[in-house]
């Protein structure tokens, strides 16, 4: 069921960040090369993050993430003890934090494994803060969206279908209304709460109005 009268965004709607997103966010850095690790910590600190732990192996990354519950984990794919992909899998299984993977050009297969493990974004070495910071923002945004959707829906198959429809609605809002991905999701979320609809119903209304009636 969709609400066909769900209004689309206009210039009067408040798309400002919620208060919880304005606090200083926390990060864990996991990289076995100390110089690269220090550079990442410096970049994150300059960007306003509080780096609560900087470690050199995947096992420590999982342990510290479980203990500190950061807003994001930046982690190299290849590390001693437990590699980054396995660590990302364990972090994802427990829904602890979004993970941004660092990888080399020659590690395409590992990138696919990392994606399957639940990594929200990845950055190819060598990288600059201009490469890393947008990837972190994307990872945090996607993680928040997925967490919100999963809290609304218990059934796994229903979660997947809802996520697919919300992704399509976000894309239409971005294309037609000039919103960023986080703004589009927040509009869907806000409309859902204001109109007492599920986010899937709001997404379906957006698709009906902006993208035709097909939801496949």
């Amino acid at each position: 069921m969709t609400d066909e009268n769900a209004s689309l965004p206009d210039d009067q709607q408040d798309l400002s960040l919620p208060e919880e997103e304005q606090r200083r966010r926390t990060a864990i850095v996991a990289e076995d090369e100390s110089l690269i690790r220090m550079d990442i910590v410096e970049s994150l600190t300059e960007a306003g993050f509080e780096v609560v732990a900087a470690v050199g192996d995947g096992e420590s990354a999982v342990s510290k993430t479980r203990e500190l519950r950061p807003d994001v984990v930046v982690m190299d794919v290849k590390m001693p003890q437990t590699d980054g992909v396995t660590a990302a899998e364990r972090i994802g299984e427990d829904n602890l934090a979004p993970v941004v993977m660092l990888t080399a050009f020659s590690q395409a297969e590992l990138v696919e494994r990392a994606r399957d493990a639940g990594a929200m974004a990845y950055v190819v070495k060598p990288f600059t803060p201009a490469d890393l910071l947008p990837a972190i923002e994307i990872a945090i945004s996607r993680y928040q969206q997925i967490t919100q959707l999963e809290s609304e829906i218990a059934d796994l198959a229903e979660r997947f279908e809802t996520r697919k429809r919300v992704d399509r609605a976000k894309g239409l809002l971005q294309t037609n209304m000039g919103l960023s991905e986080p703004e589009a999701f927040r509009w869907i979320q806000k409309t859902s709460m204001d109109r007492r609809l599920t986010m899937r119903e709001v997404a379906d209304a957006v698709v009906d109005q902006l993208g035709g009636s097909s939801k496949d």
Side-chain angles (χ1 to χ4, degrees):
M1 170 182 173
T2 63
D3 181 353
E4 304 216 351
N5 296 316
S7 60
L8 297 175
D10 56 48
D11 294 337
Q12 303 303 315
Q13 288 178 288
D14 181 12
L15 294 171
S16 58
L17 289 175
E19 288 185 9
E20 62 268 19
E21 292 187 27
Q22 297 175 10
R23 67 175 176 81
R24 194 175 187 200
R25 293 172 296 179
T26 58
I28 287 176
V29 176
E31 164 65 64
D32 62 328
E33 296 186 39
S34 59
L35 291 179
I36 297 177
R37 185 168 66 243
M38 290 169 61
D39 285 344
I40 297 170
V41 170
E42 181 179 359
S43 296
L44 291 176
T45 302
E46 289 178 354
F49 284 86
E50 179 185 358
V51 179
V52 293
V55 299
D57 65 87
E59 193 63 39
S60 297
V62 175
S63 174
K64 286 296 183 183
T65 300
R66 186 170 286 117
E67 173 189 351
L68 300 172
R69 298 301 294 268
D71 293 298
V72 67
V73 178
V74 180
M75 183 158 51
D76 192 23
V77 165
K78 285 195 170 181
M79 286 188 298
Q81 296 189 40
T82 301
D83 67 76
V85 174
T86 302
E89 286 175 338
R90 290 168 59 185
I91 290 170
E93 285 170 359
D94 291 341
N95 200 27
L96 300 175
V99 175
V100 176
M101 302 299 303
L102 309 177
T103 182
F105 279 111
S106 61
Q107 297 170 336
E109 183 181 343
L110 288 175
V111 169
E112 294 300 321
R113 282 184 55 208
R115 192 173 298 154
D116 293 341
M120 297 291 161
Y122 71 94
V123 180
V124 177
K125 295 179 179 180
F127 55 84
T128 67
D131 301 315
L132 178 62
L133 296 174
I136 288 174
E137 296 300 335
I138 288 170
I140 292 173
S141 175
R142 287 177 177 169
Y143 179 79
Q144 290 172 341
Q145 293 173 23
I146 290 170
T147 300
Q148 175 65 30
L149 288 174
E150 290 184 349
S151 70
E152 183 179 283
I153 304 163
D155 180 74
L156 189 61
E158 183 75 5
R159 284 182 189 178
F160 177 78
E161 182 62 25
T162 296
R163 189 185 305 177
K164 184 171 69 172
R165 296 189 187 193
V166 169
D167 281 345
R168 184 175 181 195
K170 283 190 306 180
L172 289 168
L173 290 172
Q174 289 175 260
T175 300
N176 289 272
M177 301 299 170
L179 302 181
S180 67
E181 182 183 355
E183 287 171 342
F185 182 80
R186 283 198 295 272
W187 183 85
I188 294 171
Q189 186 179 40
K190 184 176 186 298
T191 303
S192 169
M193 292 186 292
D194 290 348
R195 296 180 177 272
R196 297 184 180 181
L197 300 168
T198 66
M199 281 192 283
R200 177 168 173 168
E201 289 172 332
V202 174
D204 284 347
V206 170
V207 171
D208 284 343
Q209 292 185 50
L210 295 181
S213 60
S214 173
K215 302 177 187 64
D216 293 330

